[in-house]
Amino acid sequence: MDHSPAADAPILFFDSGLGGLSVLGPTRALLPTAPIVYAADYAGLPYGAKSNEELAARVPALLGRLVERYQPRLAVIACNTASTIALTHVRAALDLPIVGTVPAIKPAAEMTKSGVIGVLGTAATVRQPYVDDLGARFAGGKTVLRHGSPDLVTAAEAKLNDQPFDTATAAEQAIAGLRNQSGGAAIDVIVLACTHFPLLLGELQAAAGPGVQLIDGSAGIARRIAHLTEGQAWPAEALPGVAVFTRSPDRPPPPLAALAPYGIGSIETI
Ligand code: DGL
């Protein structure tokens, strides 16, 4: 019996907001005709301010609804906060391949010359024991400094929603939050451990200066998705993707124009 998914079965991307677009972009470059459902939990944004208990319950439940509705071949938790807290719960609850998003501490440890790495994430991500484990396993003997920046999430959302926000100052303050720690002046690699942050790459690079390399996991995740779907059927041509937003009274979905460059052709709310 053939268990391979139908050509039109989508890949589901999931984030609290628009950060997952930084993972969707490189994935489309590798799999240009992959049908896409991009899901954002606007009713729950920001995840970085939520407790582990809340996210461990919310994320699997919401993903369960989305999987039932869209029948994806694979789901990508394109959110570091949700992945570091809820990945195990999601895998236990759902019967399909789940790709998570892990802070790129391993490649950063291979790149650093000074031996001091910065990790920029949400407040929730940077406090996770999971990040300690990654540091211990892959960055032994190196210093890993962390900083949580909710403002960068707000800045990335504002940028894509065409709303005014001082993104340059948010970027400077986030970089200063790493640099001003003891030993922070020696940081030469910064891990962008929140999928919203690569959407502000220019602003963050300007704030960090040319001597600091910024790194994120999106290219690696895209390769992982391509590997897991190798040999599967895809449509002959790209079909417009769907974006779905959980309904929030004070946060309407973004303009379609912000999502169109990522192959999204329509917006739904649930
Ligand atoms: N994009 C999410 C992440 O990668 C989190 C943003 C938020 O909801 O705080 O962690």
Side-chain angles (χ1 to χ4, degrees):
M1 208 165 115
D2 183 10
H3 288 287
S4 116
D8 62 354
I11 298 176
L12 172 69
F13 288 79
F14 174 82
D15 182 32
S16 55
L18 301 178
L21 295 174
S22 69
V23 180
L24 171 55
T27 306
R28 285 187 74 236
L30 289 185
L31 300 169
T33 67
I36 299 301
V37 175
Y38 183 87
D41 185 12
Y42 260 17
L45 180 76
Y47 277 6
K50 291 197 157 33
S51 69
N52 288 21
E53 292 69 29
E54 206 174 346
L55 289 173
R58 184 180 184 93
V59 173
L62 183 50
L63 268 165
R65 272 173 75 196
L66 291 164
V67 165
E68 204 172 291
R69 187 177 167 111
Y70 296 104
Q71 304 283 316
R73 66 179 77 199
L74 175 147
V76 186
I77 305 183
C79 172
N80 286 266
T81 311
S83 296
T84 49
I85 295 168
L87 189 59
T88 330
H89 304 275
V90 171
R91 287 201 169 124
L94 298 178
D95 186 21
L96 82 164
I98 311 284
V99 176
T101 316
V102 175
I105 290 176
K106 187 179 179 207
E110 287 159 8
M111 281 160 68
T112 181
K113 296 201 167 57
S114 69
V116 187
I117 300 163
V119 177
L120 213 49
T122 64
T125 295
V126 298
R127 70 160 186 261
Q128 296 309 316
Y130 187 79
V131 178
D132 297 320
D133 291 350
L134 288 174
R137 277 169 62 201
F138 300 119
K142 314 233 183 326
T143 303
V144 182
L145 302 175
R146 313 158 183 204
H147 179 67
S149 172
D151 283 355
L152 284 182
V153 176
T154 312
E157 288 291 332
K159 185 176 175 178
L160 273 93
N161 274 284
D162 258 332
Q163 288 157 355
F165 195 85
D166 187 353
T167 45
T169 301
E172 280 158 23
Q173 286 172 347
I175 298 294
L178 287 171
R179 279 250 172 79
N180 295 344
Q181 295 180 38
S182 160
I187 290 174
D188 62 351
V189 182
I190 294 177
V191 180
L192 303 183
C194 168
T195 53
H196 278 78
F197 299 173
L199 302 173
L200 301 170
L201 196 58
E203 291 87 342
L204 287 165
Q205 190 68 68
V212 177
Q213 281 185 280
L214 304 183
I215 168 172
D216 66 77
S218 53
I221 300 162
R223 283 194 301 274
R224 177 89 189 127
I225 296 166
H227 173 73
L228 287 173
T229 56
E230 213 173 325
Q232 295 183 2
W234 300 105
E237 281 173 30
L239 305 165
V242 176
V244 54
F245 289 80
T246 54
R247 217 168 278 125
S248 155
D250 40 29
R251 200 184 283 280
L256 186 57
L259 305 175
Y262 297 89
I264 302 297
S266 62
I267 294 178
E268 300 175 359
T269 49
I270 55 167

